[in-house]
Amino acid sequence: MARINENYAKLKAGYLFPEIGRRVAAFQKANPDAKVIKLGIGDVTRPLVPAVVEAMRAAVDEMGSDAGFRGYGPEQGYDFLIDAIREHDYASRGVTIGRDEIFVSDGSKCDSGNIQEIFATDSVVALTDPVYPVYLDTNVMAGRTGAAGDDGRYAGIVYMPTTAENDFTPALPKEHVDLIYLCSPNNPTGAAATKEQLATWVQHAKKTGAVILFDAAYEAFISDPKIPHSIYEVDGAREVAIEFRSFSKTAGFTGTRCAFTVVPKEVTAAAGNGERIALNGLWNRRHTTKFNGVSYPIQRAAAATYSSEGHRQTRDIIAFYMENARLIREGLQRAGYTVYGGVNAPYIWLRTPAGASSWEFFDRLLGTANVVGTPGSGFGPSGEGYFRLSAFNSRANVEEAIARIGRMPAK
Ligand code: MLT
């Protein structure tokens, strides 16, 4: 008889965002007149910008003509997109990335979830806590952990608490670890690592032989000019880091799907016999075996975000969301909340009031203000007592949500 992967039984019942969706649907069913405002999942709300729509349309027309039709494209992505990425995301910041070091894909969720496949099953994984749940869950599925304890921590994972107490700057792990997941600007805390902080991680990885898996999906939201947008702005990072980037939040592609992963040729890990193997080749092998490339019209659409028009239009939308973030941050502060993030990231991270647990506050906010957010504990045990609001919504909804939260009783 076929047998299941028992590691799935170790996972918490549901992935965080579907679980929130389920609770919200139940609330709406019981309260059909409530006008619920969703600041939960970080899903964009503004339409694709005109430059992107035009490029996508033109590419669809090409595909509908004899001369322009294309079948399978290169699994790693078309050169027109890869070259635009190299020039605008990297060369413009003094970073040289080779064509064959970029792998275009359909999302950073998939890439940051799949990357663990190229590492040994007994690799020790270090995670900042709280963090985007995909990193943990995919390692649980792969069997790199024991069961979760009563405190919500999985045996075998090295948790690096990242809270207000350490100014959202996790300490280097004391024990040996093989894989270090970092996310900056951070989902969910909104904290962004400085160049010095990233340099500390790079030095640590070089010293210990660890590989850094750096998720920069939110780099477009950085407003502080001193904060690096890529880990490769740090000397030596090419030897130890893989970077994930996405068009999802940058250009409203959550439903359109396009992202990329950078695997420099220098980054290696050891084979069983001690030989150093380039991860670029392994990821290329995995990618070409399991993925057939992002569709041509979507890659043309992604490339259009780098034209001068496309860039200006997408920057306008990011500015719009960041103004939402400012309104949320300042509105919460006026209402007496302790608030973090929202300056270099589209997420606002707040302390739940009066000792309420994250899920208690979720229920209270939904029940009293009809506003949906994300409980901090859903991102890891150290997220307990925190709560995340996202800046992705219309201005009217953000203003209304903040007004309602302001009217909520303190307890
Ligand atoms: C989030 O809300 O954390 C993100 O939308 C999840 C994602 O990007 O997959």
Side-chain angles (χ1 to χ4, degrees):
M1 186 187 286
R3 294 177 54 231
I4 62 157
N5 176 351
E6 295 278 354
N7 295 311
Y8 278 62
K10 298 175 194 162
L11 293 164
K12 294 197 194 90
Y15 183 60
L16 176 61
F17 295 105
E19 171 62 17
I20 290 171
R22 199 186 56 73
R23 291 192 188 211
V24 173
F27 177 83
Q28 290 243 254
K29 197 162 170 214
N31 303 275
D33 296 332
K35 287 199 170 35
V36 172
I37 299 176
K38 294 181 181 169
L39 303 177
I41 188 165
D43 193 4
V44 293
T45 55
R46 296 289 300 266
L48 295 171
V49 298
V52 163
V53 174
E54 272 164 40
M56 204 189 296
R57 242 186 221 134
V60 170
D61 285 344
E62 263 186 80
M63 291 288 276
S65 70
D66 280 336
F69 175 74
R70 293 159 191 251
Y72 294 124
E75 292 93 339
Q76 301 87 344
Y78 285 103
D79 282 348
F80 64 79
L81 176 56
I82 289 176
D83 286 344
I85 291 167
R86 292 168 67 214
E87 180 186 339
H88 297 279
D89 284 325
Y90 292 104
S92 66
R93 305 193 69 83
V95 174
T96 304
I97 300 290
R99 262 194 185 158
D100 51 2
E101 294 177 323
I102 293 178
F103 297 84
V104 174
S105 78
D106 61 349
S108 284
K109 182 182 195 174
C110 324
D111 288 352
S112 63
N114 289 330
I115 195 74
Q116 45 78 28
E117 284 185 22
I118 64 170
F119 294 98
T121 44
D122 59 356
S123 304
V124 179
V125 172
L127 297 174
T128 56
D129 170 28
V131 84
Y132 185 42
V134 167
Y135 316 149
L136 172 67
D137 284 7
T138 52
N139 278 290
V140 175
M141 290 170 176
R144 287 197 186 85
T145 74
D150 292 340
D151 61 358
R153 289 182 166 77
Y154 283 86
I157 293 284
V158 174
Y159 289 86
M160 304 183 289
T162 311
T163 61
E165 282 64 43
N166 60 12
D167 204 17
F168 300 101
T169 308
L172 298 175
K174 291 195 182 63
E175 53 280 85
H176 173 78
V177 302
D178 301 303
L179 302 178
I180 301 169
Y181 288 82
L182 297 178
C183 176
S184 177
N186 189 264
N187 178 12
T189 67
T194 63
K195 201 164 180 178
E196 293 68 32
Q197 286 163 351
L198 289 184
T200 307
W201 284 106
V202 167
Q203 289 315 317
H204 180 75
K206 284 179 91 164
K207 205 166 80 196
T208 61
V211 171
I212 297 172
L213 304 170
F214 187 72
D215 187 348
Y218 297 95
E219 59 77 32
F221 296 85
I222 293 172
S223 64
D224 181 343
K226 292 195 297 298
I227 299 289
H229 289 235
S230 165
I231 195 163
Y232 305 120
E233 291 175 52
V234 172
D235 285 343
R238 284 184 57 90
E239 291 154 53
V240 292
I242 290 173
E243 179 165 291
F244 306 99
R245 292 277 194 107
S246 173
F247 294 93
S248 282
K249 318 293 157 90
T250 308
F253 274 49
T254 54
T256 308
R257 311 307 305 152
C258 197
F260 60 93
T261 289
V262 180
V263 190
K265 292 282 179 62
E266 293 92 317
V267 60
T268 60
N273 62 4
E275 190 192 343
R276 305 295 302 188
I277 306 288
L279 296 178
N280 180 285
L282 290 192
W283 185 246
N284 190 48
R285 185 70 173 84
R286 190 225 167 260
H287 196 72
T288 51
T289 302
K290 295 196 174 185
F291 189 64
N292 251 340
V294 172
S295 79
Y296 174 69
I298 300 303
Q299 291 194 59
R300 279 287 178 204
T305 65
Y306 296 106
S307 71
S308 54
E309 275 297 277
H311 182 68
R312 190 183 51 70
Q313 292 165 358
T314 51
R315 289 309 306 172
D316 283 351
I317 291 193
I318 288 167
F320 171 85
Y321 290 133
M322 290 313 285
E323 175 63 6
N324 281 352
R326 186 186 69 79
L327 292 171
I328 296 171
R329 206 179 64 239
E330 294 180 359
L332 289 170
Q333 280 166 342
R334 272 197 307 280
Y337 290 86
T338 305
V339 180
Y340 308 94
V343 175
N344 292 305
Y347 295 126
I348 293 89
W349 188 239
L350 56 125
R351 282 260 199 211
T352 56
S357 77
S358 298
W359 277 108
E360 280 164 3
F361 187 68
F362 173 90
D363 289 335
R364 194 190 305 168
L365 195 65
L366 182 57
T368 318
N370 303 158
V371 171
V372 181
T374 309
S377 56
F379 297 99
S382 297
E384 183 55 276
Y386 290 92
F387 199 78
R388 193 192 79 176
L389 291 177
S390 118
F392 298 116
N393 214 314
S394 66
R395 185 61 43 76
N397 277 349
V398 162
E399 284 171 350
E400 172 65 16
I402 289 305
R404 289 187 201 166
I405 294 172
R407 290 194 295 271
M408 262 172 67
K411 293 206 175 187

